[in-house]
Amino acid sequence: MELKKFRKKSPWILHYNTGSCNGCDIEILACLAPKYDLERFGILNRGNPKQSDILLVTGPVTKRAKERLLRLYFEMPEPKVVVAVGACACTGGVFRHMYNVENGVDSIIPVDVYVPGCAARPESIIDGVVKALEILEKKKKEIELPPYCKVPEGEKLNRRKLLERCLEVINAGRRS
Amino acid sequence: MGKRITVPFGSQHVALPEPVRFVFQTENERIVDVEVDVGYVHRGIEKACSTRFKYMQVGYVVARVCGLCAISHTLGYVTAIERLMEVEVPKRALYLRVLVSELDRIHSHLLAMGHTAEVAGYENLFMQTFRYRESVMELLELITGNRVQFDYVCPGGVNRDMTTELEKEIRKKLKELEEKCLWLKDVFENDFSLNLRWKGVGVVTKEMAKEMNVVGPPARAAGLETDVRAEFNYLPFEEVGFKLITRRGGDIYDRNLVRAEEVINSIEMVKNVLDGLPEGEIKVPVKGLPEGETFVRVEAPRGELFYYIKGTKKMVLDRVRIRVPTFANIPVMKKLFIGMDYSDVPATVISFDPCLSCTAR
Amino acid sequence: MNWEALVFTLFSPVIGGFIYGLERVVRARMQGRVGPPVLQPFYDFLKLMDKRSIVIHSFHAFMGIMYLVGTWFSLYVLLSGGDLLIAIFFHVLSLAFLVVGGFSVRSPYSILGAMRELLHMVAYEPLYVLTAAGLYLVTGTFQISEILNSNEVPLFVLPLVFVSILLSLPTLLKKSPFDIAEAHQEIIGGPEIEYSGKFYEAVYTAKWIEYVYVFFLIFLFGGGNHLLGAFLVLFAFFFFNLLDNVTARVNFRQMVAFHWYVLIPLVVINLMLLALWRG
Amino acid sequence: MKEMLKATIKNLFSKPVTVKYPEEPSPPPIGYRGLIVYDESLCIFCTKCEMVCPPGAIKFTYKDNGKKEFHYNPYLCIYCGECVRACPKPGCLTQVENTAEPAVAQDIPEWNLIERKAEESKRKFLAERAKRKK
Amino acid sequence: MEKVIYSLFLLPWLLALLVFVSPFHRLRQLITFLSFPILTYLSFKVWNLKLPLFITPPEWVNLAVTLFDYGLLLYFLYQGIKFRNFLVSVLAAAQLFLLSWVLLIIPHGETPPIYVDGLTTFMYFIVATVGSLICIYATKYMEQEDLDRENRFVAALLWFLGVMNFAVSVNNVEWFFALFETTTLASYVLIRFRWDSVSISNALQALWMNQIGGIAILLALLFGIKYYSVYSFTDILKVNPAVTSMIPLGFLAIAALVKGAQMPFHRWLLGAMVAPTPVSAILHSATMVKIAPYLILRLSPVIKGTLLAKLLIVTTGFVFVSAGLLALTQDNFKKILAYSTISLLGLMMLTASMGSPTAVLASLLLILFHAVVKALLFMEAGVIEKLFKAKYIEEIRRLVEKAPITVVFISIGFMSMTIVPYGIFMAKWLTLEEASNFLSHGAYVGSIIFIATGSVILTLLYFKVIGVMTRKRGEFMRFKLEKLPFIYLSTAGLLALFTIVGSIFIAHLSADFVNAVVASISSSPAPVKASGLTLITPLSEVYGWQIIGAFILLLIVPIFAYFVHFPEVDRVYEYTCGERVETTLGTYNFFCVSQVEPLIETAAVALFIITLVLGGGLI
Amino acid sequence: MRVEEVKVPLREVRRTIKEFYDPNVWHFITVNGTDLGGKVELKWFFCKYGEKETFKVVTAEAGYDDEIPTITYLIPSAWIAEWELADLFDLKVEGAKKGLFLDPDSPKAPLRRG
């Protein structure tokens, strides 16, 4: 039996707010509420990265949140997709280039789906999640890495070491 | 020390919609020590408001300080700039501002109530509250064109006018909403398991509220009669039937009941606004450059919101200072946790309706 | 070997999965939502098969699998018609794996959850032992197979016992108001938090088996009247779903107090009245 | 508990309120602040919209011939409608009710590039103009 | 025939003497090693004799015992005066007075003063195996503690075994009083062993509390002689309970409760932990406290079904639950064990007081398995104290990383007290079913509640500790067992092995071996049968496959789990909300329970008095 | 709007506030800093309960290196505002810890001008 097609039927979500204005967060909450009811798609808000398939990120990545975001990303088992919800998560939005902000989520972790809007409508979020499900079905089970994390050829991937290495890269400015 | 269990609560936690970190040291689930970190959402908006954005744009930026009280932030800023530049706002615009700000309060309060129910493990009540909250969201979407970020108020007035069809639609939905909110208030007041769980938990006494300068519904639930709507003339609240609501208990239960009663009062006010909506302009042009300093208090759904602005005759303001309600409530929260059960923590945190995005800006 | 029981035990995850799926639909409907499809648990199951597994350490992961095996075995002990008390205590044995697994990682939520799991046990275990004693009083045997063939209907003689079992159902199945061990908003699933992928699947499936286990206990109240037993199961299913939907979570002190000071006295009163009436 | 019990049982036997969104349409209401639509034929290139846009989602790049090109990033836009209000030419910028589609990484405008380009070309253009004036 | 019995008393004393005088450590170890086979062989020999057996020793022994009594009490008096302990001296003086009174009125009876039956032999076996294993363990333990005084220590332990053997075989209550007080002396000497102020004050506490037991025995003796002219156990059993006053029996039961460290007299047993760990092991498992259930078992045919038995059930059941509750609040490993001993002693006496053959069987199984398991646990407590320098449960956190074997032993010990297939569980199960059987007459519902709640509280307690021990930071890099000294490993291993094998063959053990003992106590054996590994009781049966299956799950698999390694799976950190926080991970200490401790003690005192006054028929 | 503004030297701030502050009457809003270039203007805002638009503002000026007195003895909840001041202006405030909002890799003292 092709197991891949069941990924689509039971995606569990993890939601992390990296510095948003709560607008998109409450829209995600509203999505779980009766009117939109994401559970129709088998979606559960697990709140636990180890059992989640979709990471919903809202907000521009603030300096303090970036490390947590990376940690959560590495704790999620593959295959997984990342959905950036709202203008801030996509590109930084109105907070673009503020001093404590690293702009969009894609500067820290690879993003698969961008959902626009300020705040994103529940319909848009559902659209984004549905789009993410299509991507999820095609994903491989290899460990995904942010673009700035380079691994030499043939090295055996160790999740904890990779995390430490990525943390080193994003915190490089911290030490100087 | 060895008996303690450290329980991190946040920054990512399923009960929290936004990042805040509490690190609790618990003994038998009773909290003996707590450490708070509220700086996750610090983006530097104050700095940006005084460097990058022109004073006419700042209203849209400060709305993004917080999505839940977006209208209050804009209102605070806009009131301040209007006072600074001595702009006379048309009456109709003021009434429309009251309308949107009260509808915003309803949706925010319903969110807080529902979310408190959710973190107390009462999933069904959360669902029902959110179900009825949707009708407010629809109303706001109709009036302002967005569900969360309204961008309705601008210096000199409001951006959109109200049509008669809209008014009819609003009246219809309001009637339905009022019925539901009365039902919700009934549930929050009389539900046995909520009483069992919430009464006497997380009590802020009146003395504590005064000493720690608590604001908003938590202060009113403790019996402190403080409401900026009564203490500051930024909108004509008295004309539309504003009532100051207080309770005595100061626990989670009372905080939610204060919210429930305020929701009903707000619905009343919205109705009165619609009845007495004056005709006329909705916007006057604002010209010139701001000079001098002023400060404004506004009642956001979470409590007193304070804006301080200073201009030096430039397009860009010299200083914008935002003191948000949650910022004022964090000290009391921190104090409250000591000696509390860990199982009551999520409900207590949410019952303060914290808005960290406001706090850190 | 009791082949019937063996087959039933082997298929119990399927039955339990259906019950769980149905429960999710019913709960969604009670909240005015559409809810997932009935087969949703199986989709989850198959998806979890497909995930890349991550573990904290092997011992912990292995304990998750052992929880499934232990629960399965304890279900077989119950279904094979042996001693009721032994079957009840076997459930403790299976829980032991979950608890030890939960304790074996350095995660505060897992440790809190495991501790609360033990407190759950403290709450319901005496109740179930007393219930077994009550069933013995009515049917004159501890053998489950004989209880199921007896002429008596325990429900009619033990109404208070049945009520208290019904009220403590959420404790065993970890549903609101007694879902403190996996209190999703506090400790995010408790002992199962650190499991993922295939290992979480084991824990997830073990919960379905627990459904069958619990509903079979309810079924025993029908005694020889199997139709009544089936009705009781159906009633219990709706009852605890309703209870789940109209209550908030209590804290563990309230839970233990409720079981010890309300439910156990209820059972004892019933047993004493029964003994008086019989004597 | 009593009230909720009633409501729960009522919900169980009544139709759910859920909008089955992807199958059934759920259009935004009239007046929803959606995408900004730009009509180049009406534009007078006053760049007022660029100046008022809070997040900087509208950028004009200068071509060598002094012409300006309009760029708009719906993934950066906060849909406040300030540009529409600021636009002196009615109909040039309008706000429609549709929202932008969720996109994958390839479909997002390279906004950093455009920003840099806009700035550079503007500086170049201004420098040239100043030279010409001299 | 008599010689075998005498040698059972005298051989340990001889060995003790040899150990005391032998100059070399190795020699002492060798002599101690001898005790295990010799005592076991002798007990086996007694088992094969025709029981019951009455022995009349020469007349001078009687005089010697009386003189010894006086000497002992005078010594107690001297200790009381020396350490200025008012209670000890007053109680010793009171005993001297009562003893003199007893001797004045004691008639000359024909009943032989030594009586050996199945129960006695059963106790011999426990003392011979468990007791001598502890002595062997002690030789190694003292190597690490204080080699200079090793000879005294081991000699005292061996001597204690002889005393215990003697104590369980006397028939004459006056002799029994002498031996009862001798065990008190032994415990006093052993607790005092370290000679620091805490040890001495705890030893004195043990002394005065146990003397209350002595007074109770003397009072029982007085009343017994005064009203019925009986002063032997066998004679008391012949008295028709329906017409007798329960006073002597009540006092004897009180003596048992005191010796069994039941609340409120539980502090001496807790205080005993200041001594070297083998002392606790021997006090808690084979000797001393086991006199308590022994005494109740001796009396059970008479007190069965009386008000005294019922009140004893309530008292001991209450102790079973509340000692378990108080154990939750402790964080000292040995204290936890001590409280659980108190708790389980309560259970033993509860089952013994129920008095029906099945209940007696359960009680005997409890005594047997508890002795083995507690010895094992205290040995391991000594091991973690000596080798890993840990006393408190916070300090044994993540022990599994350092010492997997020790953790497995401790887990076996803990699980055997609570979980399904082990002997102690089986005893509880038998009791529960027996109590349910009585329940149809509306009686003993209290005992079901006590047993159910008490055992679930013990489960909570043990899993709390197991949870602390098995916590791990990460993967085992490579499998490494700790290096345990051979003696530690072999003694503990033997006990653990017995626990497991005994539990697997529980059916045969109880139906063939223990049931013979039951038959000698009650008039009839318990109606249990064994077929294969299946244990069949009149109400129900527990199948062999259930026992084997549970063992596979409980033992083989967790041990196997240390070798299981999932190589292809990613390792991650624990979920802590995405943060890296400094976590201290302790465990619950349930201090809310310790708030009700005064309440519990008050209730225990009240129950004690009620037992004495109502059950003993003082009114 | 009735505003009573008191301008005092920095070291007098605590005494001034102590003189009039009564938790039953006055509500402490916040302390605000405005950079004046080289020094910071500090304002402590108070308002009266139950009265319309009645404020009291205590103003003081502090150099970048001055130690600013804390008022948490009088108003326990003021710590968070003071910490923020210490963080965003990089000022020395009695008893305040750095790092409420800023991270090691954020710019130092972002609200100072220039």
Side-chain angles (χ1 to χ4, degrees), chain A residues 137-153:
Chain A
E137 203 180 349
K138 293 186 198 111
K139 282 240 169 170
K140 293 203 191 72
K141 278 160 72 170
E142 260 66 74
I143 297 180
E144 282 181 70
L145 289 172
Y148 51 80
C149 185
K150 300 278 185 296
V151 179
E153 277 294 312

Side-chain angles (χ1 to χ4, degrees), chain B residues 343-355:
Chain B
S343 52
D344 294 331
V345 164
T348 313
V349 173
I350 303 299
S351 78
F352 274 93
D353 202 0
C355 182

Side-chain angles (χ1 to χ4, degrees), chain B residues 293 318-319 321 323 361, chain F residues 29-30 33 43 84 110 113:
Chain B
E293 59 168 32
D318 194 37
R319 176 85 169 103
R321 156 77 188 186
R323 205 298 316 260
R361 305 177 300 277
Chain F
I29 299 172
T30 191
K43 288 191 171 182
E84 190 200 2
R113 203 170 288 162

